Amino acid sequence: MIEYRNLRIALLGAGSVGAQVASLLIEHGTELGERVGAGLELVGIAVRDLKAARTADLPEHLFTTDAESLILGADIVIELIGGIEPARTYLELALNSGADVITANKALLATHGPELFEIAEQVGAQLYYEAAVGGAIPIIRPLRDSLAGDRVRRILGIVNGTTNYILDRMDVEGDTLEEALAEAQRLGYAESDPAADVEGYDAAQKAAILASLAFHTTVPLDSVYREGILAITSEQVAAARRSGFVVKLLAICERLTDPVTGVEGVSARVHPALVPDTHPLAAVHGANNAVFLEAEAAGSLMFYGAGAGGVQTASAVLGDVVSAARRHVIGGPGVAESTRADIPILPISSVSTRYRITLEVADKPGVLARVATLFSEHGVSVEAVRQDARPDGASPTATLVIGTHEATESALAATVAALGATDVVSAVSSVLRVEGL
Ligand code: NDP
Ligand code: HSE
């Protein structure tokens, strides 16, 4: 039974996600209102172009290009425009007018989250962002609430649906990166500028958000190490598969101790990595996402599901709508973000991990010994070596695949530079980190 007044909901943006949110709100608004005990009324949808085609059939009278007037008359504002401006200005306006705000905008949260959370705290409003990481997967609320009493040690996540879709198509269908990206764009997974996906910016933004939540400390976006997937070749993906690995773009957030300074801190990084084909993350296909998390008391947890897509992401947004509406009915101020731990943020050079390096070498006596010496001179311990020899031809060659024990980024970089400079190595054809062993 509805006992509270109607809550006025303003929607900013009606693209892949916004159109589905509007459609579901219109279709299920009454039922959602009954869950909350308040009427939920979508009062308007602000867009850039009133004539643009929509992926859902929505009432024309709701559309406007006057976002500011819409915001000022709302109890709850949902921002699904994306990008920094005007989204940031609109969110500040909404919060300052006392509205609760819901956003899926990881780019904005990763760069201006602390300012927005501060405004929300000052005015007693709440900023919800379940859809900003992992699409439909509930991961923000579990980190903020369910695991708030535990100590998260490490997060290993596939948090970008587009790149997972691309790497999976390269692996399973043999597509090129370009073919798979075009399909991901057609399916609505990619950002408006897909460089955000393939160059790892989107995953880095999500890593900053996850790390800040998990470690109760603000992890700035520019402290997140980032490599995208543009340098990954079909040959690397196929060779990984033959050796019992899959290539995934991972976001890794962890507590660690710098091996040189002994400083204890946290780090966040995004890069392609080899994952054993038996690891749960290897079974994450298509545009799905998964967040594999290790906490001191809870142990290992995995959150899995659709990481991108309009209607899937709309589910997470609607969950936030229900939470915001419940808060209105109950009353009282919003809950502030927990970022007061102030833990040092460590750079990528503090990280140690395993590597798999592929070299093209001359197949003659002494080469293996020379290569092994270079590893040992830089303090990198070799775990396994595989050689595929090509004995035919005047100058026989071989491919050497070398797996290392854990080594620091700096030791590995120095080893790779030395390998590239020695005359017995004709090419360093692949250097990939190995995670999840
Ligand atoms: P789209 O590009 O599909 O849609 C953006 C919408 O915003 C369009 O309706 C556009 O209007 C509107 N818009 C753009 N500029 C303005 C403006 N200045 N004033 C008013 N409206 C404006 O984006 P998505 O729906 O894909 O993404 C929305 C947000 O959700 C982004 O932050 C994205 O990162 C995030 N997200 C997206 C996911 C996905 O799978 N797509 C998954 C998880 C999060 P018009 O249509 O008139 O051009
Ligand atoms: N472009 C993003 C992705 C959308 O592919 O994961 C979901 O955040």
Side-chain angles (χ1 to χ4, degrees):
M1 198 174 62
I2 307 274
E3 290 167 348
Y4 197 75
R5 70 178 171 86
N6 271 10
L7 291 171
R8 296 167 59 82
I9 301 175
L11 176 62
L12 314 180
S16 300
V17 185
Q20 299 306 318
V21 167
S23 173
L24 290 172
L25 258 180
I26 291 166
E27 202 180 325
H28 303 308
T30 307
E31 186 187 331
L32 295 183
E34 281 162 359
R35 284 178 203 174
V36 172
L40 299 180
E41 186 188 358
L42 178 62
V43 291
I45 307 172
V47 291
R48 195 171 30 189
D49 175 5
L50 292 173
K51 295 197 165 48
R54 304 287 160 207
T55 58
D57 194 13
L58 300 169
E60 257 179 53
H61 74 269
L62 287 178
F63 282 88
T64 177
T65 53
D66 183 0
E68 294 187 8
S69 301
L70 185 62
I71 291 167
L72 291 174
D75 300 298
I76 297 170
V77 174
I78 307 173
E79 183 274 309
L80 293 169
I81 292 175
I84 307 301
E85 286 296 348
R88 176 188 177 187
T89 303
Y90 290 160
L91 288 200
E92 288 183 359
L93 181 67
L95 290 168
N96 281 318
S97 75
D100 278 349
V101 162
I102 295 162
T103 181
N105 193 335
K106 55 267 170 164
L108 181 60
L109 289 171
T111 44
H112 297 288
E115 296 119 80
L116 293 168
F117 291 124
E118 197 176 325
I119 299 174
E121 194 174 348
Q122 277 166 8
V123 302
Q126 182 90 43
L127 179 49
Y128 299 86
Y129 53 100
E130 185 60 72
V133 182
I137 307 171
I139 182 64
I140 300 298
R141 226 170 250 107
L143 273 174
R144 193 171 52 188
D145 299 333
S146 323
L147 291 161
D150 206 333
R151 194 159 189 265
V152 175
R153 295 216 60 81
R154 192 163 198 248
I155 292 174
L156 208 57
I158 294 173
V159 293
N160 181 267
T162 302
T163 47
N164 200 60
Y165 180 85
I166 292 171
L167 292 170
D168 196 38
R169 294 279 298 213
M170 288 169 77
D171 183 19
V172 177
E173 308 286 341
D175 283 7
T176 63
L177 190 146
E178 293 72 22
E179 286 165 345
L181 172 59
E183 189 60 8
Q185 286 179 285
R186 194 186 67 74
L187 292 167
Y189 303 147
E191 295 301 303
S192 49
D193 175 3
D197 298 293
V198 293
E199 292 183 19
Y201 291 102
D202 175 83
Q205 290 156 2
K206 292 166 176 168
I209 294 170
L210 289 178
S212 300
L213 267 173
F215 305 129
H216 305 275
T217 207
T218 299
V219 176
L221 180 58
D222 60 12
S223 71
V224 181
Y225 175 81
R226 176 190 56 79
E227 277 175 39
I229 64 161
L230 285 176
I232 298 294
T233 62
S234 303
E235 291 71 34
Q236 279 176 311
V237 173
R241 176 59 75 183
R242 286 195 298 274
S243 309
F245 292 95
V246 289
V247 182
K248 295 288 184 192
L249 183 73
L250 295 184
I252 302 168
C253 312
E254 59 193 343
R255 292 181 192 266
L256 50 89
T257 304
D258 185 286
V260 178
T261 62
V263 171
E264 289 184 14
V266 296
S267 93
R269 56 193 161 108
V270 166
H271 53 70
L274 295 169
V275 175
D277 58 12
T278 48
H279 192 281
L281 288 178
V284 177
H285 296 290
N288 285 315
N289 281 190
V291 177
F292 189 82
L293 182 155
E294 292 159 23
E296 276 183 9
S300 298
L301 303 170
M302 179 146 146
F303 301 81
Y304 167 82
V311 72
Q312 295 87 344
T313 307
S315 162
V317 173
L318 287 176
D320 281 349
V321 169
V322 170
S323 296
R326 282 187 178 138
R327 208 186 75 71
H328 266 274
V329 173
I330 294 165
V335 179
E337 284 297 289
S338 162
T339 54
R340 296 187 176 88
D342 228 7
I343 303 173
I345 314 292
L346 298 178
I348 183 83
S349 54
S350 301
V351 170
S352 294
T353 190
R354 295 170 184 235
Y355 301 84
R356 217 172 147 80
I357 300 153
T358 308
L359 305 173
E360 301 305 324
V361 298
D363 190 7
K364 58 184 186 189
V367 168
L368 200 51
R370 178 82 193 109
V371 167
T373 303
L374 286 176
F375 276 84
S376 102
E377 279 173 1
H378 292 90
V380 178
S381 172
V382 170
E383 192 225 352
V385 180
R386 205 189 72 211
Q387 171 168 330
D388 292 326
R390 284 181 294 281
D392 301 340
S395 320
T397 56
T399 301
L400 279 185
V401 182
I402 299 171
T404 74
H405 287 291
E406 277 203 0
T408 61
E409 287 278 334
S410 49
L412 196 278
T415 311
V416 170
L419 288 167
T422 184
D423 55 354
V424 297
V425 174
S426 57
V428 180
S429 47
S430 171
V431 179
L432 285 170
R433 297 173 185 86
V434 182
E435 299 289 344
L437 275 176

